[in-house]
Amino acid sequence: MGIEQEKHSDIVIIGGGLGGTAAALAAAKAGLRVLLTEETDWLGGQLTSQAVPPDEHRWIEQSGCTVSYREFRSRVRDYYRRNYPLTDVAKSDPVLNPGNGWVSRLAHEPKVALAVLHEMLAPYVNTGRIEVLYHTVPVQVDTAGDRVTGVTVREEPSGGLIKLQGAYYLDATECSDLLPLAGVEHVSGAESRRETGEPHALDEADPLDMQSITHVAAVDYVAGGDFTIHRPRDYDYWRQYVPSFSLYPILSWYASDANDTSKLKEFTMFPNDQGITSLWDYRRIVDPAIWTESLNDGEVTLLNWALNDYYAGPIIGVSPEERERHLEGARQLTLSLVYWLQTAAPRLDGGKGYPGVRLRGDVLGTEDGLAKAPYIRESRRIRGVYTITEQDVSKALRGAEGAKRYEDSVGVGSYHLDLHPTTVSQRTFYIPNHPYEIPLGALIPVRVKNLLPACKNISMTQIANGCYRLHPTEWNIGEAAGTLAAYAIAQQVEPSEVRASAKHLHDYQEQLIRQGVQLHWTDAELAGEC
């Protein structure tokens, strides 16, 4: 089938996840026309179609993110205040946590995040400055020398082809799919210690040794009910599977302890008086205790646990058939977790199983109760003019030097170097970090002139990705990339020139500051990080 139509814009953003959405918003605010594609029918990536409440640092309410990201967070809380029957205490709480999940200060429903993102984009979508193409995936990239000249996307399920053209192209896909299509220099998987000097790197590089993915599910619990699903196809396999770092099957209440990943920690289902950590309220997104009237059968939580981290194989760098096998494998693991919870999970009263666990597809906009898309922690990463490494972030390695500062910073963030079990070596660790900055050099490819990374695909090592992949940082990366493309177009310069020129770098950073991007942590913030 040939090209059925062509579309032109100033900026083409492939991928409507968190970074892509933030990039589109920034570029539109700068006055440019944007074409934004999305594989599903929900923008927002981690927050929506992947159903992952925001993982954030402890300063997030006051500092350490962009103004637009903080606006998103405020709008989420306002959405609940406007539309939900909140108690007076909840309504007046300036740091309202709608689900009271302990993984996040803002555990909320994916549909609320989607509604808020639509509100933020509305002025630009409704006036045509941003055009969103849903259910589309990139299939071809045209290039001329060191420049991208067009991206062809395929509409699903019709198969129709649309050629998109613009001055700049931003890759915000979850796996950074434009990089191989465009021949952009990139890496994937694990680097070697010889290459990066990182203490936690492998002896030999392995491009297929990638962080696990997780296909999230939403469930509630109805005491006395029985919502047991059909026995999943792969349940017997997962029931017996023992990870290399564990003494117990993956479907058990034992998993790596984040405080010391060389040890195992015991978990259980619900809050209790025995001192065992509950997973139910870990990612709880609906807590009726803050409502004045009953709206459903009870609490809703998200299954994004160590028990359904899928590391049986990668989905990048393999054949389409193997990719589909692993994507389905991740789904099967999560369904197996649900079935195990319903039928076999040990209870603290000595019994087994919670048949009242019920899949809630309505919460995620699906029929089966699983998220529209898997949570992908690690994508391909550009080879950039600067590569962020473990040495730039690790508290132990930085030592007395403290947090690293970059003259070309385009934002800030903070999170542990959090590596979930990988697909080959099954390495996992949780390394304490210093608050970090995002160097512009990590957003600039070594060769290609008009393609920019806009999510988890900047120039960084696998280990550094462990902290730069989280929600506020991905948003910041997208916002910085969208602003960079807009600046380059307005000034008729290339991104590499922006970094190389003191004047352009200053002017670009001033533009970021004006729109509320924090470029550096203050001395006072860093002094109080411990």
Side-chain angles (χ1 to χ4, degrees), residues 351-371:
K352 290 186 177 182
Y354 301 88
V357 169
R358 176 173 60 176
L359 283 164
R360 289 292 301 274
D362 58 311
V363 174
L364 304 180
T366 63
E367 294 184 2
D368 61 8
L370 273 62

Side-chain angles (χ1 to χ4, degrees), residues 358-525:
R358 176 173 60 176
L359 283 164
R360 289 292 301 274
D362 58 311
V363 174
L364 304 180
T366 63
E367 294 184 2
D368 61 8
L370 273 62
K372 290 175 177 285
Y375 174 35
I376 300 171
R377 296 179 175 86
E378 180 182 322
S379 76
R380 301 174 180 91
R381 307 178 294 280
I382 68 162
R383 287 196 180 275
V385 298
Y386 183 87
T387 300
I388 306 163
T389 67
E390 178 183 358
Q391 294 92 319
D392 291 340
V393 185
S394 166
K395 183 172 286 190
L397 297 182
R398 297 292 303 165
E401 290 184 274
K404 186 176 179 68
R405 295 181 183 270
Y406 301 95
E407 290 186 4
D408 65 341
S409 175
V410 297
V412 299
S414 185
Y415 204 77
H416 278 57
L417 294 131
D418 179 15
L419 202 75
H420 284 236
T422 58
T423 53
V424 179
S425 64
Q426 294 191 3
R427 295 146 59 236
T428 179
F429 37 77
Y430 196 69
I431 304 169
N433 72 293
H434 277 302
Y436 53 79
E437 298 176 354
I438 307 168
L440 175 58
L443 275 68
I444 301 175
V446 292
R447 178 181 60 82
V448 177
K449 308 298 184 186
N450 66 335
L451 183 146
L452 297 170
C455 56
K456 299 183 288 285
N457 52 354
I458 63 174
S459 183
M460 58 185 169
T461 64
Q462 179 186 59
I463 296 173
N465 169 78
C467 60
Y468 278 78
R469 63 181 171 81
L470 282 308
H471 302 67
T473 304
E474 183 180 350
W475 181 290
N476 194 326
I477 291 169
E479 186 169 349
T483 304
L484 178 60
Y487 181 89
I489 290 172
Q491 300 299 319
Q492 296 186 326
V493 295
E494 294 176 349
S496 58
E497 296 178 74
V498 175
R499 184 173 186 264
S501 162
K503 180 182 186 307
H504 281 307
L505 178 60
H506 173 270
D507 291 349
Y508 165 58
Q509 289 177 318
E510 282 297 308
Q511 184 170 332
L512 290 174
I513 292 170
R514 285 194 301 272
Q515 66 195 47
V517 177
Q518 180 180 342
L519 300 187
H520 303 285
W521 291 95
T522 67
D523 290 338
E525 288 167 337

Side-chain angles (χ1 to χ4, degrees), residues 3 62 79 99 144 172 186 191 208 230 397 410 442 447 454 479 505:
I3 303 293
Q62 296 83 29
Y79 187 96
H186 66 278
E191 294 89 352
L208 297 181
H230 292 296
L397 297 182
V410 297
R447 178 181 60 82
E479 186 169 349
L505 178 60

Side-chain angles (χ1 to χ4, degrees), residues 230-238 325 328-329 332 335-336:
H230 292 296
R231 189 183 186 94
R233 183 195 70 188
D234 296 348
Y235 178 72
D236 290 341
Y237 173 82
W238 291 116
R325 180 167 66 83
E328 177 58 27
Q332 285 290 320
L335 290 172
S336 296

Side-chain angles (χ1 to χ4, degrees), residues 53-302:
D55 290 299
E56 300 168 332
H57 52 75
R58 63 182 181 273
W59 303 280
I60 194 65
E61 301 295 350
Q62 296 83 29
S63 185
C65 67
T66 74
V67 164
S68 64
Y69 182 76
R70 188 165 293 114
E71 177 189 353
F72 164 80
R73 301 178 82 255
S74 296
R75 282 176 177 255
V76 167
R77 288 174 170 142
D78 288 343
Y79 187 96
Y80 279 95
R81 294 186 184 108
R82 294 195 319 266
N83 298 297
Y84 281 64
L86 299 183
T87 64
D88 290 340
V89 171
K91 191 176 296 185
S92 62
D93 187 353
V95 289
L96 172 67
N97 188 342
N100 282 318
W102 54 266
V103 72
S104 173
R105 291 173 172 82
L106 193 65
H108 61 281
E109 298 157 89
K111 284 185 176 180
V112 173
L114 181 65
V116 168
L117 291 175
H118 281 172
E119 286 180 349
M120 296 178 73
L121 293 170
Y124 311 104
V125 172
N126 294 347
T127 57
R129 188 172 288 180
I130 295 176
E131 180 180 357
V132 184
L133 305 177
Y134 293 101
H135 296 296
T136 58
V137 295
V139 293
Q140 180 178 314
V141 176
D142 298 325
T143 62
D146 294 339
R147 305 190 72 85
V148 173
T149 58
V151 175
T152 300
V153 296
R154 184 179 64 234
E155 295 180 294
E156 303 292 356
S158 70
L161 300 179
I162 307 173
K163 186 170 184 177
L164 310 179
Q165 292 182 301
Y168 277 84
Y169 301 82
L170 274 57
D171 187 344
T173 58
E174 297 302 322
C175 295
S176 206
D177 295 325
L178 291 192
L179 301 187
L181 291 173
V184 177
E185 291 79 3
H186 66 278
V187 299
S188 62
E191 294 89 352
S192 70
R193 190 177 302 115
R194 181 174 59 256
E195 178 184 0
T196 68
E198 296 171 306
H200 288 87
L202 293 176
D203 290 335
E204 299 294 333
D206 189 342
L208 297 181
D209 194 20
M210 301 174 190
Q211 282 201 72
S212 47
I213 65 174
T214 302
H215 208 127
V216 179
V219 297
D220 63 6
Y221 179 71
V222 181
D226 187 348
F227 303 96
T228 305
I229 62 175
H230 292 296
R231 189 183 186 94
R233 183 195 70 188
D234 296 348
Y235 178 72
D236 290 341
Y237 173 82
W238 291 116
R239 188 71 180 91
Q240 299 174 22
Y241 178 81
V242 178
S244 63
F245 52 82
S246 180
L247 302 174
Y248 303 91
I250 189 171
L251 297 181
S252 74
W253 288 127
Y254 291 88
S256 294
D257 186 346
N259 294 318
D260 182 353
T261 54
S262 67
K263 298 179 180 178
L264 298 176
K265 181 176 179 177
E266 182 181 7
F267 298 89
T268 191
M269 185 69 158
F270 294 116
N272 59 88
D273 58 5
Q274 299 184 32
I276 303 175
T277 301
S278 159
L279 287 177
W280 181 262
D281 49 344
Y282 174 46
R283 295 186 185 271
R284 183 176 55 202
I285 56 171
V286 172
D287 182 8
I290 68 171
W291 301 342
T292 59
E293 63 180 88
S294 177
L295 298 178
N296 64 8
D297 292 323
E299 301 175 355
V300 178
T301 195
L302 297 171

